[in-house]
Amino acid sequence: MNFLRGVMGGQSAGPQHTEAETIQKLCDRVASSTLLDDRRNAVRALKSLSKKYRLEVGIQAMDHLIRVLQTDRSDSEIIGYALDTLYNIISNDEEEEVDDVEEENSTRQSEDLGSQFTEIFIKQQENVTLLLSLLEEFDFHVRWPGVKLLTSLLKQLGPQVQQIILVSPMGVSRLMDLLADSREVIRNDGVLLLQALTRSNGAIQKIVAFENAFERLLDIITEEGNSDGGIVVEDCLLLLQNLLKNNNSNQNFFKEGSYIQRMKPWFEVGDENSGWSAQKVTNLHLMLQLIRVLVSPTNPPGATSSCQKAMFQCGLLQQLCTILMATGVPADILTETINTVSEVIRGCQVNQDYFASVNAPSNPPRPAIVVLLMSMVNERQPFVLRCAVLYCFQCFLYKNQKGQGEIVSTLLPSTIDATGNSVSAGQLLCGGLFSTDSLSNWCAAVALAHALQENATQKEQLLRVQLATSIGNPPVSLLQQCTNILSQGDKIDRRGSKIQTRVGLLMLLCTWLSNCPIAVTHFLHNSANVPFLTGQIAENLGEEEQLVQGLCALLLGISIYFNDNSLESYMKEKLKQLIEKRIGKENFIEKLGFISKHELYSRASQKPQPNFPSPEYMIFDHEFTKLVKELEGVITKAIYKSSEEDKKEEEVKKTLEQHDNIVTHYKNMIREQDLQLEELRQEVSTLKCQNEQLQTAVTQQVSQIQQHKDQYNLLKIQLGKDNQHQGSYSEGAQMNGIQPEEISRLREEIEELKQNRELLQSQLTEKDSVIENLKSSQTSGTNEQSSAIASARDFEEIAELKQELATLKSQLNSQSVEITKLQTEKQELLQKTEAFAKSAEVQGESETVIATKTTDVEGRLSALLQETKELKNEIKALSEERTAIKEQLDSSNSTIAILQTEKDKLELEITDSKKEQDDLLVLLADQDQKILSLKNKLKDLGHPVEEEDELESGDQEDEDDESEDPGKDLDHI
């Protein structure tokens, strides 16, 4: 603190000695008093002196106050006084500054006291940690001054305090608890604290976001009334911007947390908007800026696209378009809404299609695009609004070939409304292009250039546009009319910048002719164009005209570079000779360099949005700067090339195109083979599943056969016991009572055998279908190399299936053996039954009872014989079915043999295909060697050669959705 003491000692008008002594005595009392009341009173007195004598209190009392925070935490009152005192000596708030006119010198020096005392305070990091722990106290007199003190520290030395809080355990989490405080004063100051904490610190921003900050802030905004809320809503929106701006991680978290959907109620404003308070305008402005943060063109394309889709799906885009067409909206809110809608639809096909369908509530309804273009070409509209409409039109056409075609089609003769009842976008652009307002000329030219951006089809279509300039004269093409206006220069009296109209027309012509040889031919077909350009370039004009000269040089260079030599009088070589004679190559290149050296060129190249402070700064378009950067080098090289080099370059280009076609052909072939391989892999996986099912079925069959064996053995044992008791009538009668039950069991066994037979037949049918599928897949796969390889894999599965069929066949044989055993046992049963019947007939008894029994036994025996005959018939049928099953198995084996033969053929074909692939690889290697030699030749000739060619490109196209959300006319603007 020596430097502070020096400052204090050097004051010309310092405090009286009595005040300095008082502060010293109070500090001594704080340090030495044993009673808490004495220390509390001393700290209270220091607080009262800290505003007027900030320097002295800070120098003498800071250490004592920090010690109070450490030792007297049990008393909230003294802690509150100490925090308030520290806040007074650190804060630089004007209302708390010294206001004594007599101490001007002291006031001037105290402006930097806050940062000096802050540096002293945070020199010991434990002080900040102590302050964070005090914020956990719920007592109002501790928490509120603690929040204010920490906020002041962050304002004075933000990065240093942020780093201390970041390494402090649970430091950020403690501060997040302030948002949940039920006392609005603490909650609101907590928002201000988090604003200062999250400023320009990505790590803290991520921690705050994952501490559920989005949920809490959105809840506060909802509770405060959304856009109708007060200053608290503004503070929450500023904090949200801190968390989301330039922080891709938090933006992704915000989108995935479905917080975008919660933004829709912010913009639910109806037509009755007469009472727009200043706070509401500020809130809505920040809300629109927050949306633009999520869909900014500087964000990663994938993140921006996902946010754009989410805004369309939740209806947020529709809500913004409603505001766009509403009445009574303030001009600045309307301008910012247009800019916001622009970035929400930029490059997103679904959103662009929806925007194209929005109509203003006029009679008849007009598309919103037409209504906006009316404002753009209307010179009475505010400049910022016209810039916003131009940006919206550019974003609507960005990567939107469909929209470009719709705009150009409104200029074609077949689509123009003959009745004149409606005004189209194309007519508005032409009207602005030929207006006497230079700003309208520039905006219309740039807008039309964006309708042609990277779209060769529309460049050719626009050549068909014919304009009727005056009655009685034949119509002229749009291209010719643009060059006519360009050649007239300053002859037409225009309002605004002198060069703005010509710059806009030159940018339009350069965009139109680039990468379009047909348009170049049309341009050169007018014999007056080339002399005009060479005359403009050759003149020595002032600095203002240098930009026009550079753009004329660029247009002439495009006419040379993209010239297809279809006009004999304006072939490439002749144009280059003309430049060398009339201008000079060095002079031409120097004039061409005027474009990129212009001070406004770099400003326009930074951001897509045309944001100009005033109309005279509106010179360059962002997309045009990209075109200049792309063409400046190639035009320079084209000017210095000879005719022989041009011929060689054309030959090399043709060779490269041929090579590209060959490579593309083989790539397509490989892509198709990959698709076929994937299909065969899926078929193999299906066959594996079927094989597992068959194995399960076979296992079940084995278990059933084992059950049949056990039941048969049990039956055999029971029959053997019955045969042992045939010696007496009573025993014979008992046996006759048991036999029908056994025969019924035999019937059940036969029924089960029938069911098993049916199951086996169904299994065979499934295997036959599998074999048929394999045969069909084999037939479809023999034409392609990849199919042959996959079929070879399938035959491994066929071999496994063949093995399973053999197993099934053996099981069938075992069942046939079991059936034969059952037949043998049945024959033995019949023989025993007949022997028993004979013995019963030989033993005749005279008694009536015995005769009755004999008759009963005979009846039963006859019934048994009948049932035995039926069983024989059923067994015979089973044997016939078994024979049929064997035949089916034989046919399956023959099919497998055929498949094996075809497999051998496929293996031969695979070998041949491998040889063909080797030949293709050799051919590609030769082609690559040729390309390398050609590239080396090109390099030797001075032609730039790209190291890698992008052969494939993918355009992400979103599905087209249409929804209706009518708006209202912008005539109120």
Short mmCIF file of all heavy atoms in Angstrom, two decimals, residues 9 13 96 178 208 226 272 317 370 392 516 566 578 677 687 700 777 795 822:
data_model
loop_
_atom_site.label_atom_id
_atom_site.label_comp_id
_atom_site.label_asym_id
_atom_site.label_seq_id
_atom_site.Cartn_x
_atom_site.Cartn_y
_atom_site.Cartn_z
N GLY A 9 -0.38 11.13 0.61
CA GLY A 9 0.50 12.17 1.13
C GLY A 9 0.69 13.31 0.16
O GLY A 9 0.99 14.43 0.55
N ALA A 13 -5.08 18.99 -0.98
CA ALA A 13 -6.17 19.33 -0.06
C ALA A 13 -6.70 18.06 0.54
O ALA A 13 -7.73 17.55 0.15
CB ALA A 13 -7.26 20.11 -0.78
N GLU A 96 -21.64 7.43 -5.72
CA GLU A 96 -20.95 7.12 -4.48
C GLU A 96 -19.55 7.74 -4.44
O GLU A 96 -18.77 7.47 -3.55
CB GLU A 96 -20.86 5.60 -4.32
CG GLU A 96 -22.24 4.97 -4.18
CD GLU A 96 -22.14 3.47 -4.11
OE1 GLU A 96 -21.02 2.93 -4.21
OE2 GLU A 96 -23.18 2.82 -3.94
N LEU A 178 -27.93 -17.83 -6.78
CA LEU A 178 -28.53 -16.51 -6.62
C LEU A 178 -29.78 -16.36 -7.48
O LEU A 178 -30.71 -15.63 -7.12
CB LEU A 178 -27.53 -15.41 -6.98
CG LEU A 178 -26.25 -15.37 -6.14
CD1 LEU A 178 -25.28 -14.33 -6.72
CD2 LEU A 178 -26.59 -15.03 -4.69
N VAL A 208 -21.80 -22.28 -16.51
CA VAL A 208 -23.07 -21.64 -16.17
C VAL A 208 -24.22 -22.26 -16.95
O VAL A 208 -25.31 -22.51 -16.41
CB VAL A 208 -22.98 -20.11 -16.44
CG1 VAL A 208 -24.35 -19.46 -16.29
CG2 VAL A 208 -21.99 -19.48 -15.47
N ASN A 226 -42.40 -11.57 -20.42
CA ASN A 226 -41.76 -11.64 -21.74
C ASN A 226 -41.36 -10.25 -22.22
O ASN A 226 -40.73 -9.49 -21.49
CB ASN A 226 -42.69 -12.35 -22.73
CG ASN A 226 -42.88 -13.82 -22.37
OD1 ASN A 226 -41.97 -14.44 -21.84
ND2 ASN A 226 -44.05 -14.36 -22.65
N GLU A 272 -52.73 -4.61 -32.32
CA GLU A 272 -52.98 -3.48 -31.42
C GLU A 272 -51.70 -3.15 -30.67
O GLU A 272 -51.52 -3.49 -29.51
CB GLU A 272 -54.11 -3.85 -30.44
CG GLU A 272 -55.42 -4.16 -31.14
CD GLU A 272 -56.49 -4.58 -30.16
OE1 GLU A 272 -56.18 -4.64 -28.94
OE2 GLU A 272 -57.61 -4.86 -30.59
N LEU A 317 -40.56 -19.07 -36.87
CA LEU A 317 -40.43 -18.33 -38.13
C LEU A 317 -41.78 -17.75 -38.55
O LEU A 317 -41.86 -16.60 -39.00
CB LEU A 317 -39.88 -19.26 -39.22
CG LEU A 317 -39.81 -18.67 -40.63
CD1 LEU A 317 -38.93 -17.43 -40.65
CD2 LEU A 317 -39.29 -19.71 -41.61
N VAL A 370 -42.56 -9.44 -52.65
CA VAL A 370 -42.90 -8.30 -53.49
C VAL A 370 -43.08 -7.05 -52.64
O VAL A 370 -42.59 -5.95 -52.99
CB VAL A 370 -44.17 -8.61 -54.32
CG1 VAL A 370 -44.65 -7.37 -55.07
CG2 VAL A 370 -43.91 -9.76 -55.27
N CYS A 392 -32.50 -9.47 -46.78
CA CYS A 392 -33.52 -10.51 -46.75
C CYS A 392 -33.65 -11.17 -48.12
O CYS A 392 -33.75 -12.40 -48.22
CB CYS A 392 -34.86 -9.90 -46.31
SG CYS A 392 -36.18 -11.11 -46.10
N CYS A 516 -20.29 -18.28 -67.84
CA CYS A 516 -21.40 -18.41 -68.79
C CYS A 516 -20.91 -17.93 -70.16
O CYS A 516 -21.09 -16.76 -70.53
CB CYS A 516 -22.61 -17.59 -68.33
SG CYS A 516 -24.08 -17.85 -69.34
N SER A 566 -16.42 -18.20 -80.17
CA SER A 566 -17.45 -18.39 -81.18
C SER A 566 -17.57 -17.18 -82.10
O SER A 566 -18.10 -17.31 -83.22
CB SER A 566 -18.80 -18.68 -80.50
OG SER A 566 -19.15 -17.60 -79.64
N LEU A 578 -5.70 -6.49 -78.43
CA LEU A 578 -6.31 -5.17 -78.29
C LEU A 578 -5.91 -4.52 -76.97
O LEU A 578 -5.60 -3.32 -76.92
CB LEU A 578 -7.83 -5.29 -78.39
CG LEU A 578 -8.63 -4.00 -78.31
CD1 LEU A 578 -8.29 -3.09 -79.48
CD2 LEU A 578 -10.12 -4.30 -78.27
N LEU A 677 -23.45 -55.69 -52.59
CA LEU A 677 -22.83 -56.44 -51.49
C LEU A 677 -23.63 -56.28 -50.20
O LEU A 677 -23.83 -57.24 -49.45
CB LEU A 677 -21.40 -55.95 -51.27
CG LEU A 677 -20.32 -56.56 -52.17
CD1 LEU A 677 -19.01 -55.83 -51.95
CD2 LEU A 677 -20.15 -58.03 -51.90
N LEU A 687 -30.72 -65.72 -43.76
CA LEU A 687 -30.56 -67.17 -43.82
C LEU A 687 -30.01 -67.72 -42.50
O LEU A 687 -30.39 -68.83 -42.08
CB LEU A 687 -29.62 -67.55 -44.97
CG LEU A 687 -30.19 -67.35 -46.38
CD1 LEU A 687 -29.12 -67.60 -47.42
CD2 LEU A 687 -31.38 -68.28 -46.61
N GLN A 700 -36.36 -79.85 -30.94
CA GLN A 700 -37.68 -80.23 -30.42
C GLN A 700 -38.09 -81.61 -30.91
O GLN A 700 -38.65 -82.42 -30.16
CB GLN A 700 -38.71 -79.17 -30.83
CG GLN A 700 -38.49 -77.81 -30.19
CD GLN A 700 -39.48 -76.78 -30.69
OE1 GLN A 700 -40.26 -77.06 -31.59
NE2 GLN A 700 -39.43 -75.58 -30.11
N SER A 777 -31.09 -66.03 -55.39
CA SER A 777 -30.04 -65.06 -55.09
C SER A 777 -28.78 -65.38 -55.86
O SER A 777 -28.04 -64.49 -56.28
CB SER A 777 -29.76 -65.07 -53.58
OG SER A 777 -29.26 -66.33 -53.19
N PHE A 795 -22.79 -69.97 -50.00
CA PHE A 795 -22.65 -71.42 -50.11
C PHE A 795 -22.09 -72.04 -48.84
O PHE A 795 -22.31 -73.22 -48.58
CB PHE A 795 -21.76 -71.75 -51.30
CG PHE A 795 -22.54 -71.78 -52.61
CD1 PHE A 795 -22.32 -70.83 -53.58
CD2 PHE A 795 -23.51 -72.74 -52.84
CE1 PHE A 795 -23.04 -70.84 -54.76
CE2 PHE A 795 -24.22 -72.75 -54.02
CZ PHE A 795 -24.00 -71.81 -54.99
N LEU A 822 -42.73 -100.89 -33.52
CA LEU A 822 -44.12 -100.87 -33.07
C LEU A 822 -44.97 -101.88 -33.83
O LEU A 822 -45.82 -102.56 -33.25
CB LEU A 822 -44.70 -99.46 -33.25
CG LEU A 822 -44.27 -98.42 -32.22
CD1 LEU A 822 -44.79 -97.05 -32.63
CD2 LEU A 822 -44.78 -98.77 -30.85
#
